[in-house]
Amino acid sequence: METLFIDGKWAAADDGAHFDVLDPASGEVIDRASDAGAAETRRAIAAAQGAFPQWSAETAYHRSARLLEAHRLMLDRKEALAELLSLEQGKPLKAARNEIGYAAEFLSWFAEEAKRVYGSTIPSSRAGHRFTVLRQPLGVVAGITPWNYPISMITRKVAPALAAGCTIVLKPAEQTPLCAAAVVQILADAGTLAGVVNLITTAQPGPVGEELLRSDIVRKLTFTGSTEIGKYLAARSAETMKRVSMELGGHAPMIVFDDADPAHAAKGAVLAKYLNTGQACISPNRILVQRGIYRAFCEEFTARAGRLVAGRGSTPGVSIGPLVDGAALDKVAAQVQDAVSKGARLLSGGSRLEEGQLAKGWFYAPTVLADVDESMLIHREETFGPVAAIMPFDDEAEAVAKANATEYGLASYVYTNDLGRATRVSEALRFGIVGINDINPTAAAAPFGGIGVSGLGREGGADGIDEYLDVKLIGQVVGPA
Ligand code: NAP
């Protein structure tokens, strides 16, 4: 399949190169994607540059209408997109449908925000003088996205960029180029001008990234992915002084106080932990449970985790899919082995799933570890797999200190029925997002992002479009009449 989209046309790589796209549930090849290099990337940047004057000069109402049309098309194609997403990335169909709904929300939200890019006037201290502030599209954007939410992570970037009047060169993860191509087809069918959205699929992130980084034309890099790569890209972006948005890794704590119902909290914790097979940046990585309900919570959590059904995402009744690849499987297995060797109690799982068809894919059993402590890898490394790490605490101060003992700062969660405690703890947590008795504190309408090594900037909400706008101050001498 030709998966490069440059200046409004689908194309193959210049040398015809391609790479295999694998089904993570079976390891089989489902298709091939075009493997672009530096030359195709330069053409995509040039196309985005060429389209920028016209796209940015269109009325906000025109851009808004294109995004609303893309929203309509995405929902029209929801079932086919969900099947593709489930096949290419592995998540169960129900979760895939949820992701498409979430992805479409960004298109409609930013279609509306396009019409609300206001400026302002500032009173001057000088007579006969005016200050006006304009917010203008910053130009060509490069967007680099991960495989775990391969459709919504794209609309979360493309929608605000297009709404603001910017044009974009998109480089999706190499595991999920087909989902990216399907989203770009929707944007093209919605009537966006040629060159406004360009897609570079590649198995060579280095040379493609290099072109995007060293280009003076690219004025902004928006990245979602690991902290390690994010730090590199942010540092390199400084060479051309690009704006950056960095949505990076997380190590979310979930604090369960003993005034909460342990069964209700365990239900929420299981849903949040095993969502997307634990491959989510906001997945709870440390579950801190107050000693009074520690045992009851662990029992309920383990019972619920044991009821999860692993398998191919399209199989009815499956609630947990495969990991994305063999490297992910190895990382999870190493964390479990390390924790058990240092004294963690394995309450459930702890091994690769290899019965029948599962042997062909990258399946790992939903795993529960209790009595995890600071000495273990899982306590500091992002897990990105179906392994729950549970540990006890005694009081509120200890819980907050333990929760904050990480360089990451993306999501955090609190279960409590004490209003004062909910307020105190949510204010004390050093994270960009806090869910109070809430395992899904996200929406297109709300700002999403982290602090610390979890990143810079916010996506979604009213803040999301600011990331694509430059602020211009106009001082004007009006003089006496
Ligand atoms: P990754 O390895 O950092 O890759 C992310 C993207 O960066 C991929 O498209 C990758 O391309 C590309 N990339 C790698 N090296 C590059 C280079 N030198 N130049 C340009 N691009 C380069 O992350 P991942 O494993 O795909 O995703 C998982 C991570 O994303 C986790 O840490 C997770 O927490 C984070 N995440 C964060 C959020 C958030 O909003 N904060 C949301 C979802 C995921 P290739 O695929 O070709 O390697």
Side-chain angles (χ1 to χ4, degrees), residues 144-148 153 156 171-175 202 205-206 209 223-226 229 232-233 247-250 281 382 384 410 448:
I144 301 181
T145 53
W147 47 265
N148 61 341
M153 292 304 98
R156 200 159 82 171
K171 194 220 83 65
E174 61 198 72
Q175 292 93 337
T202 185
F223 173 76
T224 298
S226 62
I229 302 289
Y232 168 75
L233 296 175
E247 292 292 345
L248 310 178
C281 50
E382 192 179 26
F384 245 57
L410 187 56
F448 184 104

